Amino acid sequence: MRNRPDPVALLALPALLYLGIVYAVPLAGLLVGSVVRPGGVTLAPFADFFRDPFHWTVAGNTLRVAALTTLVCLAIGYPTAVALARARGFAQAAILVAIILPLSVGVVVKAFAWQIVLRRDGVVSQILVGLGVWDEPQRLLFTEAGLVIGAANVFVPFMILPVYSVLKTIDPRVGEAATTLGASPLYRFRKVTLPLALPGIVSGIAFVFSMTASMYVIPSLLVGDRFQTLATLTGRSFLFMRNEELGSTTAVVLLALTVAIVVGSTSLSRRLGGSS
Amino acid sequence: MTIAEKLASVVLWTIAAFTVLFLLTPLVVTVVVSFGSSPVFTLPAPGWSLRWYEALGRSRELWPAVLLSVQIAALSTAVALVLGTLCAVGLLRGRFPGREAAVTFLVSPLMLPGLVIGIAMLETYRAAGLRDAWTSLLIAHVVITLPYVVRTVLAALSLFDFTLIDAARTLGCSWAGAVVRVLVPALAPAFLTAGMFAFLASMDNYPISIFFTDAWTRTLPIQMLQFVEESPDPTIAAVSALSIALAALVLVVGDRLVGLRRMTDL
């Protein structure tokens, strides 16, 4: 009885087989192909890759932009998630629309809009000059700061939503109880809210970091060819340079990086007692 | 409320208001530019006009791309809804060894870099002799849409009380009748949310689609990125504004049928 396949479980097979054939096999093929060269199995492509200082710059760019973007998303996303959990009526609807509507709009559209906003005569420059922060109009387009702004704009919903989904399950009386027992707001945040929200924060960070590390459209529109990341270098080596060996090496490095982030964050949030 | 609490609350709402503005900025800018008369995206626009919408009607490259994207998105979402729902039922109701690992695997295309998935698929499909762009696009887009369906339907199913089906059968329903009249209506909001986000993800995909396009087969994001890079004029803004209007419409319908709050359970 135990060894016979359960007929209901068989319903899962078509989807698993489908993904196995058209998705898992290709990924396995990419991994194998990246270490097989004429003459046998070798790790030389990776050794060559990391010997080149340019590739360290590229890897550094990728990690730095991902870290900065994640930081910006956390700084504005966490308070927004808290506000959303507390909001009722119009404020709640406004925040929800502001999160879901941009999610339904294409990334090419948003990156294109940021091209206009970040120009020398763009809105950001005009505001900063108007406020007296800048003496004269400056261009943010084709700078790292501009890239981080655009990326944070596209990915901040993926910070807000997981944090919000944890926060909305916290009983508000927990906070009230802490206050009644004499906890200061800061102590309450550090000892009550933050530990409860931590699984959401961890999965938000993992989402934003891995998405920023692998983004391709946003940097190609906002920062240009002189600033390369692992993803843009991978794309360029396949689509323009026709250097498929370099492309498959960078693809595997990028894949390893994102898998490490996903696996690490999943085990971390499980240990923190979250379900997400 | 103490002063510290009031201050914290003011800071909180200021940041939230800023984030709302920040999130809506690109959408507002796109719509304003699309109605502006300036061909170089000057803001504020020197005057208003509909000329970019007229140019849109004349475009020869755009409409085939829209048609292809809608076709691929609709078909791949439909396939994913069938495969994904069966899969969710099998995983949840069947005795399944390694269920957690299976779910992680099914959702993993969402978390891995699209570009890497695209490259891997391209090489394997080419080696297998598949060269037709349309077929490759459809096969690849089912991989993009399936995770949304599996995740959302699995979450909805785990809240469903399966004794209701037994109850319906006790009351005289056939097994199939019980599934259609009890289970399907209970899952309808999940189908709608999953279908919507799956459809949008397919419509928006660039990094996987780019490897399966040729001169005749170009999806909308690929055609648009080419426009932006080669001939940026506000016609792009007009297309974008139309897609924003469409997204707003979908949102209103989704709110009526499911509710905005439930749509955030991504």
Side-chain angles (χ1 to χ4, degrees):
Chain A
M1 198 54 201
R2 293 219 71 177
N3 291 328
R4 213 159 4 125
D6 181 355
V8 181
L10 289 179
L11 289 175
L13 273 190
L16 287 168
L17 279 178
Y18 182 85
L19 272 197
I21 295 167
V22 307
Y23 162 77
V25 167
L27 279 181
L30 179 79
L31 287 175
V32 171
S34 71
V35 290
V36 175
R37 290 286 177 273
V41 174
T42 165
L43 282 175
F46 294 96
D48 289 344
F49 179 83
F50 285 110
R51 211 172 291 134
D52 187 341
F54 171 68
H55 293 141
W56 283 102
T57 315
V58 172
N61 286 345
T62 310
L63 294 174
R64 195 175 55 250
V65 166
L68 283 172
T69 306
T70 310
L71 211 63
V72 172
C73 285
L74 186 62
I76 64 173
Y78 181 82
T80 308
V82 175
L84 178 58
R86 287 189 196 168
R88 295 289 171 268
F90 175 75
Q92 187 187 43
I95 301 176
L96 282 174
V97 167
I99 295 167
I100 304 175
L101 187 60
L103 269 185
S104 334
V105 173
V107 67
V108 178
V109 174
K110 284 180 277 190
F112 157 75
W114 282 105
Q115 272 198 336
I116 301 171
V117 176
L118 298 173
R119 295 194 308 186
R120 190 184 301 276
D121 59 350
V123 181
V124 174
S125 178
Q126 286 177 21
I127 291 175
L128 288 175
V129 171
L131 289 174
V133 180
W134 285 353
D135 295 332
E136 55 181 37
Q138 284 181 36
R139 175 174 59 80
L140 276 168
L141 188 59
F142 303 125
T143 67
E144 204 177 314
L147 178 61
V148 170
I149 293 174
N153 178 263
V154 174
F155 297 126
V156 73
F158 298 96
M159 180 67 80
I160 302 175
L161 289 177
V163 176
Y164 169 65
S165 77
V166 176
L167 286 180
K168 73 179 172 189
T169 62
I170 299 178
D171 190 336
R173 282 173 301 184
V174 173
E176 286 162 22
T179 313
T180 315
L181 294 170
S184 73
L186 193 64
Y187 185 86
R188 200 176 73 196
F189 172 73
R190 233 160 30 89
K191 295 286 176 179
V192 181
T193 322
L194 195 60
L196 286 171
L198 215 48
I201 295 175
V202 170
S203 61
I205 289 176
F207 270 133
V208 175
F209 195 93
S210 58
M211 285 171 139
T212 317
S214 22
M215 65 184 174
Y216 177 78
V217 173
I218 305 172
S220 34
L221 286 178
L222 293 185
V223 81
D225 289 344
R226 273 190 302 178
F227 186 91
Q228 294 287 339
T229 64
L230 285 172
T232 58
L233 187 63
T234 308
R236 284 178 55 79
S237 14
F238 268 88
L239 298 168
F240 304 117
M241 290 146 57
R242 302 278 163 199
N243 184 347
E244 305 201 348
E245 291 204 345
L246 173 65
S248 70
T249 310
T250 54
V252 170
V253 173
L254 184 59
L255 188 65
L257 180 70
T258 37
V259 168
I261 294 164
V262 171
V263 170
S265 68
T266 312
S267 73
L268 186 60
S269 63
R270 195 163 295 157
R271 210 176 322 150
L272 293 168
S275 55
S276 47
Chain B
M1 234 194 249
T2 63
I3 294 175
E5 272 176 351
K6 269 188 193 146
L7 195 69
S9 160
V10 167
V11 171
L12 188 77
W13 287 101
T14 311
I15 297 178
F18 169 81
T19 310
V20 168
L21 282 181
F22 179 57
L23 278 165
L24 294 177
T25 298
L27 313 195
V28 173
V29 165
T30 308
V31 174
V32 171
V33 164
S34 77
F35 288 110
S37 58
S38 155
V40 290
F41 317 109
T42 317
L43 279 178
W48 305 105
S49 93
L50 287 173
R51 58 193 275 211
W52 309 117
Y53 288 88
E54 285 160 19
L56 207 58
R58 288 192 303 270
S59 170
R60 288 199 178 177
E61 288 107 348
L62 188 71
W63 298 108
V66 172
L67 201 67
L68 175 69
S69 274
V70 170
Q71 226 174 36
I72 296 283
L75 280 174
S76 63
T77 304
V79 174
L81 278 171
V82 175
L83 283 181
T85 307
L86 290 178
C87 181
V89 173
L91 285 177
L92 205 70
R93 298 297 291 170
R95 265 186 289 110
F96 208 90
R99 180 184 296 150
E100 289 248 323
V103 174
T104 308
F105 171 61
L106 287 158
V107 183
S108 66
L110 278 184
M111 295 181 278
L112 300 185
L115 215 56
V116 176
I117 299 176
I119 288 167
M121 284 176 163
L122 175 73
E123 292 187 327
T124 307
Y125 298 0
R126 263 200 315 210
L130 177 62
R131 290 187 180 271
D132 181 54
W134 195 89
T135 316
S136 315
L137 269 178
L138 184 61
I139 293 176
H141 276 237
V142 173
V143 176
I144 298 165
T145 50
L146 196 57
Y148 289 93
V149 178
V150 170
R151 194 169 59 178
T152 311
V153 174
L154 204 57
L157 265 185
S158 61
L159 297 175
F160 180 75
D161 182 0
F162 276 87
T163 53
L164 286 176
I165 291 193
D166 300 332
R169 294 188 64 191
T170 317
L171 293 171
C173 260
S174 67
W175 188 83
V179 166
V180 171
R181 289 164 75 174
V182 180
L183 182 63
V184 171
L187 288 183
F191 288 147
L192 200 83
T193 315
M196 199 182 90
F197 281 107
F199 185 87
L200 289 170
S202 164
M203 283 292 285
D204 185 36
N205 185 275
Y206 183 92
I208 295 182
S209 306
I210 184 68
F211 294 103
F212 300 109
T213 50
D214 55 36
W216 305 275
T217 321
R218 275 211 194 108
T219 61
L220 186 59
I222 287 162
Q223 188 64 56
M224 281 180 63
L225 193 72
Q226 197 189 336
F227 278 149
V228 175
E229 281 176 341
E230 285 171 10
S231 56
D233 77 37
T235 314
I236 297 292
V239 192
S240 309
L242 285 182
S243 82
I244 293 170
L246 191 69
L249 187 72
V250 169
L251 205 62
V252 171
V253 174
D255 182 38
R256 280 286 147 78
L257 296 176
V258 187
L260 281 182
R261 262 173 65 98
R262 284 181 71 175
M263 284 164 70
T264 61
D265 299 329
L266 278 175

